[in-house]
Amino acid sequence: MEAPRLAHTMSSPTSPCEEVIKNLSLEAIQLCDRDGNKSQDSGIAEMEELPVPHNIKISNITCDSFKISWDMDSKSKDRITHYFIDLNKKENKNSNKFKHKDVPTKLVAKAVPLPMTVRGHWFLSPRTEYTVAVQTASKQVDGDYVVSEWSEIIEFCTADYSKVHLTQLLEKAEVIAGRMLKLSVFYRNQHKEYFDYIREHHGNAMQPSVKDNSGSHGSPISGKLEGIFFSCNTEFNTGKPPQDSPYGRYRFEVAAEKLFNPNTNLYFGDFYCMYTAYHYVILVIAPVGSPGDEFCKQRLPQLNIQDNKFLTCNEEDGVMVYHHAQDVILEVIYTDPVDLSLGTVAEITGHQLMSLSTANAKKDPSCKTCNISVGR
């Protein structure tokens, strides 16, 4: 779900945007649009000669903030009291472009030294393309504004969640992880044709592929990390993998120690739900020093493989013992190829429950359990 525009939240005097704007010394008013068409009650005076911003620069981009600066002619520069910033999500060419002209989408900031930080998760979402244009303005004694022409329109894209944001997600996931249950295998369900293709075209080795866009919109692994998805959850009453799966009737099972051991690192990747009561946690297992390990080291919180709330590996009496969290559904990404000879492929006896598929699943942005207070 897209984060609401600033315009959509301004009608209420108790809007969350007011708090964001107040923190930035910003105020919102009805302004003329980029084409110079004024709102009927805008309260803006006739345009006079004020310097027009040019050479707009966007820097220090995060998932919910950015810095903006520009150049201006020195003429009348000392008359500038405010900056008007028009910030909009970049329209999809195929989207419904209905937009009321009189709805303000502008931010008004007091004229401060540049670059100026624009911050606020109520109108900025991670990994989202925006357009921005700027006016200079001079506030008159009667409250009206004299404004310059709009600058050129600049495009930019906000960033992914940082490690700080992911650590916040991690802490929320730890709260509901529940007690730990034993496991012995990792498993991957696919259709028979998938395994036939692996044998014929990839020398019996499953190959990593780019992760889809399921989960949190700001997740740094979506569309970037290459890996192979595995499951490890077990049924409470049997201690074995469930017989149902949404991904196909054929299952590859491999002993847990083949993929997860002291020679691998474990990372937290995401925490989300899909408008359901149960939640998913994405973990990444990467062989030490591998390309996947280097990718994760820079972007994801690393977990202690012996002591964490989701998936553990410990040696007891010379034997490796594994446990997984009971109250979340774990999706494990292994970042290297996996040869089918390491395990077995067999047909499951249960049903193919497509409703449980997480392929490109969208996260519920209203869930208080798995969202953090930054851009969705």
Side-chain angles (χ1 to χ4, degrees):
M1 182 181 294
E2 294 185 343
R5 293 183 189 274
L6 178 62
H8 296 172
T9 58
M10 287 178 52
S11 58
S12 168
T14 58
S15 163
C17 283
E18 285 194 4
E19 183 178 349
V20 175
I21 293 168
K22 181 179 178 183
N23 291 339
L24 289 169
S25 297
L26 298 175
E27 52 182 313
I29 61 172
Q30 287 186 316
L31 306 172
C32 59
D33 61 26
R34 292 176 182 173
D35 299 322
N37 302 314
K38 294 178 184 175
S39 302
Q40 194 169 16
D41 301 318
S42 65
I44 297 178
E46 291 298 316
M47 189 172 295
E48 295 182 8
E49 290 295 328
L50 282 174
V52 179
H54 60 91
N55 194 22
I56 309 294
K57 299 183 187 71
I58 304 293
S59 62
N60 295 83
I61 300 171
T62 73
C63 68
D64 65 344
S65 71
F66 62 92
K67 285 189 176 181
I68 185 169
S69 63
W70 56 82
D71 298 330
M72 289 183 290
D73 295 332
S74 58
K75 181 181 178 182
S76 301
K77 192 173 181 180
D78 57 347
R79 293 176 52 220
I80 297 171
T81 62
H82 291 78
Y83 303 135
F84 292 172
I85 302 172
D86 188 8
L87 179 67
N88 290 283
K89 283 185 179 175
K90 188 176 177 183
E91 295 285 357
N92 186 309
K93 291 181 181 178
N94 300 318
S95 67
N96 181 354
K97 293 188 177 181
F98 174 80
K99 181 173 152 183
H100 197 288
K101 286 284 185 183
D102 286 343
V103 174
T105 61
K106 317 297 188 295
L107 303 175
V108 182
K110 290 181 179 178
V112 296
L114 300 176
M116 178 180 66
T117 299
V118 178
R119 184 190 311 278
H121 71 276
W122 290 104
F123 52 91
L124 281 171
S125 298
R127 199 184 282 201
T128 302
E129 292 184 328
Y130 287 91
T131 63
V132 64
V134 186
Q135 285 177 314
T136 58
S138 176
K139 191 170 186 177
Q140 309 300 293
V141 292
D142 60 2
D144 285 349
Y145 285 84
V146 174
V147 296
S148 73
E149 294 181 359
W150 282 108
S151 70
E152 72 271 28
I153 297 172
I154 299 297
E155 299 179 0
F156 71 98
C157 185
T158 47
D160 299 331
Y161 284 157
S162 68
K163 274 189 181 181
V164 172
H165 299 122
L166 286 172
T167 299
Q168 294 174 21
L169 268 183
L170 166 62
E171 290 169 352
K172 291 179 80 74
E174 289 175 336
V175 172
I176 70 160
R179 69 171 180 160
M180 304 290 277
L181 302 177
K182 275 192 176 183
L183 70 104
S184 59
V185 298
F186 291 103
Y187 54 96
R188 173 175 172 81
N189 276 66
Q190 285 288 341
H191 298 285
K192 181 177 182 295
E193 292 77 14
Y194 168 82
F195 293 109
D196 290 343
Y197 185 86
I198 293 301
R199 294 185 184 101
E200 184 176 350
H201 296 280
H202 289 293
N204 216 44
M206 293 184 291
Q207 300 298 313
S209 59
V210 177
K211 184 196 171 296
D212 66 11
N213 288 314
S214 60
S216 299
H217 190 51
S219 172
I221 62 176
S222 293
K224 296 180 180 179
L225 177 67
E226 293 189 354
I228 305 170
F229 262 108
F230 285 91
S231 298
C232 65
N233 289 81
T234 58
E235 291 182 322
F236 179 76
N237 56 340
T238 66
K240 296 180 179 180
Q243 282 299 306
D244 299 323
S245 170
Y247 301 111
R249 296 191 56 82
Y250 282 77
R251 174 173 293 170
F252 171 72
E253 282 191 13
V254 58
E257 61 264 25
K258 299 286 186 180
L259 303 186
F260 187 35
N261 53 61
N263 295 318
T264 57
N265 283 327
L266 182 67
Y267 298 91
F268 173 84
D270 201 3
F271 177 45
Y272 70 100
C273 72
M274 303 178 296
Y275 303 89
T276 56
Y278 43 89
H279 282 79
Y280 294 83
V281 168
I282 298 180
L283 302 175
V284 182
I285 297 176
V288 174
S290 67
D293 189 33
E294 293 304 314
F295 177 96
C296 294
K297 224 171 247 186
Q298 299 173 35
R299 297 168 177 84
L300 306 180
Q302 186 170 348
L303 302 176
N304 184 333
I305 67 171
Q306 296 179 319
D307 183 20
N308 67 80
K309 298 288 187 180
F310 311 108
L311 181 66
T312 59
C313 163
N314 288 282
E315 185 175 340
E316 297 179 9
D317 299 324
V319 178
M320 301 306 294
V321 178
Y322 296 87
H323 290 84
H324 70 87
Q326 173 186 354
D327 294 335
V328 293
I329 300 175
L330 296 179
E331 297 181 300
V332 179
I333 301 176
Y334 187 77
T335 62
D336 272 12
V338 177
D339 199 289
L340 294 179
S341 65
L342 294 175
T344 59
V345 176
E347 187 173 5
I348 61 173
T349 59
H351 302 286
Q352 188 170 336
L353 304 176
M354 295 307 295
S355 62
L356 294 180
S357 173
T358 60
N360 289 307
K362 299 305 178 186
K363 179 174 183 175
D364 177 2
S366 65
C367 178
K368 291 183 173 60
T369 300
C370 62
N371 280 292
I372 54 178
S373 58
V374 294
R376 302 291 187 253

